[in-house]
Amino acid sequence: MKRFAFVMLALVLGCGGGGSSAAERLVLARILYGPWVTAADVGVYSLGENGAPQSLLGTTTTGTDGTLSLSVPYEGWTLVKVSGGTYEDPATGLDATIPEATPLLGVAFASASPTTYSVTVLTTMLFLLAQESARDPGMPFSLAVGNAALQIEK
């Protein structure tokens, strides 16, 4: 029987009160890689115009069931970085970790309306392609993300 490994991170980004332009966003997630990743380090970063990480907005660690929650006061493009933790390697059945040098990455636009998002190997590819494309001074990051998604879809 084949087993598929994936990481899923659901970001629920909702509007907070007080009329602030940078409303509070709540990040809810379950990290899965095999069954799930426990004690994984998760960081959420703001992104610059070229897709480069700027400020660390918040960090957390997944629980024993692979879930996490994190409030992030920010509106704009964000990077979610996942590393460490423990999961069962589907190929060997042994415990393994997501290396710090090669974390899983995801990109999402944090806005006032609720959004659900996943972080997987494909979103890692999407972010890296978008970041490469956004190095062109005439390429807005939002367009670079759309172009990267089209490349992966092919």
Side-chain angles (χ1 to χ4, degrees), residues 18-35:
S20 170
S21 62
E24 181 177 293
R25 279 35 173 194
L26 177 63
V27 179
L28 303 172
R30 182 168 197 145
I31 308 293
L32 303 170
Y33 203 90

Side-chain angles (χ1 to χ4, degrees), residues 47 50-53 126-136 141 144 148:
L47 290 175
N50 62 354
L126 181 136
F127 173 72
L128 295 173
L129 285 169
Q131 193 176 41
E132 180 67 28
S133 184
R135 288 184 182 164
D136 177 349
F141 189 68

Side-chain angles (χ1 to χ4, degrees), residues 7-91:
V7 173
M8 182 172 154
L9 177 62
L11 301 183
V12 180
L13 306 171
C15 184
S20 170
S21 62
E24 181 177 293
R25 279 35 173 194
L26 177 63
V27 179
L28 303 172
R30 182 168 197 145
I31 308 293
L32 303 170
Y33 203 90
W36 56 71
V37 180
T38 61
D41 298 319
V42 179
V44 178
Y45 300 81
S46 62
L47 290 175
E49 289 293 320
N50 62 354
Q54 302 294 308
S55 302
L56 177 63
L57 302 172
T59 62
T60 192
T61 304
T62 59
T64 57
D65 62 353
T67 61
L68 65 93
S69 65
L70 177 66
S71 293
V72 179
Y74 182 75
E75 186 167 318
W77 285 103
T78 59
L79 168 69
V80 179
K81 179 180 170 185
V82 180
S83 64
T86 303
Y87 67 94
E88 182 183 319
D89 183 330

